[in-house]
Amino acid sequence: MFRRLPAVGDFARYLRTETVGGVILLVAAALALLAANGPWSSIYEGLRDARLGPAALHLDLTVGEWAKDGLLALFFFVAGLELKRELVIGELSRFRDAVLPVIAAVGGMLVPAALALAVGWGDPRIGSAWSIPVATDIAFALGVLALTGSGLPSSARVFLLSLAVVDDLGAILLIATVFTTGFDLLAAAAAVALLALYWFLQRRRLRTAWLYVPIAVGTWAAVHATGAHATIAGVALALLTRVRSDPGEDESPCLRLEHRLQPWSAGVAVPVFAFFASGVPIGADTFGRLTTDRMALAVIVGLVVGKLVGILGFSLLAVRLGVARMPAGLGKRDLTAVAVLGGVGFTVSLLIADLALDGEDVELATSAVLVASTLAALLAAVLLVRRSRAHEAADDT
């Protein structure tokens, strides 16, 4: 008579799929736009700007800042775990397989930045805004791929994941160097000491969460206190996590943590960040400015055109020069579709926009990111569906 609700384990399994994660992300962004442009806008803004946390530790942050600095650290920790696993024991453990997404990611950062600078040349805001289109959103892009490219070989997902993680790491390094005002050496020393302790305990095969959770929280707080963006802590901890399992060990710490934390990342961290980052007032005036404002155009061109040219161009050049090889089962048309998907710059692009600009310019850049990411996702979806059908037809013959 009554339908049984999924067990907690089943629900977590749903959240581990890129399709579900991408849908939750889109729903969160849509709700944010409705909240910011509807009769509840004052409630939404009051919640986003409410302050929480101990002022004595310089952690009296707004709810929006907690989502940006805290929850995204979990997101980058999980992404870093998956990347390290692929590099150590996965499909990227061989140099010629691993180097292609790295080269593609470099192209996917350099060309969008160059195009943004060219389009926005002469606009003083472009001195900071050029960095907005350098990143690819991992969750959103993988969700579109899972939804529309199910017929493609698994190497397409590994390539996209690796590319997205590498250029997001590049974006985080960019944040650390360009948008860090002041640097606390004492806090940096504390962060390094905690990271060293984490590495030591990993090598000693200790597994208790009672040690690791305080170390992780302390590392995050120390990195935040340095003046650098706190998400760097998540990446650093992930890269120090042990990947290979010992004899008699069911799963390595990397796999175990990824398995347990990925649902929290996909179901809580990224959607909550998207909810507070995407809520910008959008009216006819905003849409009009997207087609005339040079900074907004620079962001859109950088994401939609720059990502495609950079990822595809650098990849094909690397393969032609013999430096790298194409992912197994993928052709140039498949690579083109994935390169278009690289223009989905949602999460980290919104983060950089918030750091690079102020006031109304943040809202305009956020609108440009949303529009560009939507265009890239729709175009990529069309291409991925076609390529997926082509692969399925080839398998049937």
Side-chain angles (χ1 to χ4, degrees), residues 270-286:
V270 175
V272 170
F273 168 77
F275 180 74
F276 289 111
S278 305
V280 295
I282 296 180
D285 179 62
T286 301

Side-chain angles (χ1 to χ4, degrees), residues 15-366:
L15 291 178
R16 287 189 189 99
T17 65
E18 284 86 7
T19 305
V20 174
V23 169
I24 295 175
L25 178 61
L26 289 175
V27 170
L31 289 175
L33 289 171
L34 288 174
N37 292 277
W40 313 282
S41 59
S42 59
I43 298 175
Y44 171 80
E45 292 171 2
L47 175 61
R48 182 190 60 198
D49 298 334
R51 288 195 169 271
L52 301 171
L57 298 176
H58 304 288
L59 292 175
D60 54 331
L61 309 176
T62 65
V63 173
E65 289 171 337
W66 276 112
K68 177 180 66 178
D69 294 348
L71 291 179
L72 278 191
L74 174 62
F75 163 71
F76 276 104
F77 179 68
V78 173
L81 288 174
E82 187 161 3
L83 176 63
K84 184 172 182 182
R85 177 169 54 81
E86 291 292 346
L87 288 170
V88 175
I89 60 175
E91 295 189 35
L92 300 178
S93 57
R94 294 174 297 276
F95 176 79
R96 290 189 67 196
D97 292 330
V99 74
L100 184 63
V102 173
I103 292 174
V106 171
M109 295 180 70
L110 293 179
V111 176
L115 275 180
L117 283 169
V119 173
W121 191 259
D123 189 322
R125 297 168 297 171
I126 204 64
S128 299
W130 64 267
S131 55
I132 295 174
V134 302
T136 296
D137 186 276
I138 299 171
F140 198 163
L142 288 176
V144 174
L145 179 63
L147 197 63
T148 61
S150 58
L152 291 175
S154 61
S155 56
R157 180 190 179 279
V158 174
F159 175 79
L160 179 61
L161 169 70
S162 307
L163 181 154
V165 171
V166 170
D167 80 0
D168 279 357
L169 293 181
I172 289 297
L173 291 176
L174 190 67
I175 290 169
T177 54
V178 176
F179 302 113
T180 296
T181 56
F183 192 74
D184 191 322
L185 291 176
L186 186 61
V192 171
L194 287 169
L195 288 170
L197 178 59
Y198 179 88
W199 176 85
F200 175 75
L201 294 176
Q202 283 284 296
R203 296 306 173 271
R204 296 288 295 178
R205 274 38 180 186
L206 294 180
R207 296 179 53 173
T208 174
W210 293 105
L211 283 173
Y212 288 117
V213 171
I215 290 173
V217 173
T219 302
W220 177 87
V223 172
H224 184 273
T226 63
H229 201 269
T231 49
I232 296 172
V235 176
L237 289 166
L239 296 179
L240 294 174
T241 303
R242 181 165 59 89
V243 173
R244 299 185 186 277
S245 56
D246 291 333
E249 191 176 31
D250 292 336
E251 53 188 9
S252 68
C254 178
L255 188 61
R256 185 168 60 252
L257 286 169
E258 186 183 333
H259 182 80
R260 292 179 180 178
L261 296 178
Q262 203 278 336
W264 290 99
S265 174
V268 177
V270 175
V272 170
F273 168 77
F275 180 74
F276 289 111
S278 305
V280 295
I282 296 180
D285 179 62
T286 301
F287 278 111
R289 291 183 66 192
L290 288 178
T291 60
T292 58
D293 188 278
R294 294 177 68 181
M295 184 271 291
L297 286 172
V299 172
I300 294 172
V301 172
L303 283 171
V304 178
V305 180
K307 280 291 184 181
L308 168 61
V309 174
I311 293 170
L312 183 62
F314 273 56
S315 297
L316 294 180
L317 181 61
V319 171
R320 186 175 183 83
L321 294 176
V323 178
R325 59 187 173 195
M326 290 285 286
L330 290 190
K332 292 180 181 179
R333 293 180 181 178
D334 304 320
L335 199 64
T336 301
V338 175
V340 173
L341 192 52
V344 178
F346 196 79
T347 305
V348 181
S349 290
L350 293 179
L351 173 61
I352 296 176
D354 186 61
L355 295 172
L357 301 168
D358 298 307
E360 292 184 357
D361 290 333
V362 176
E363 297 179 354
L364 182 61
T366 298

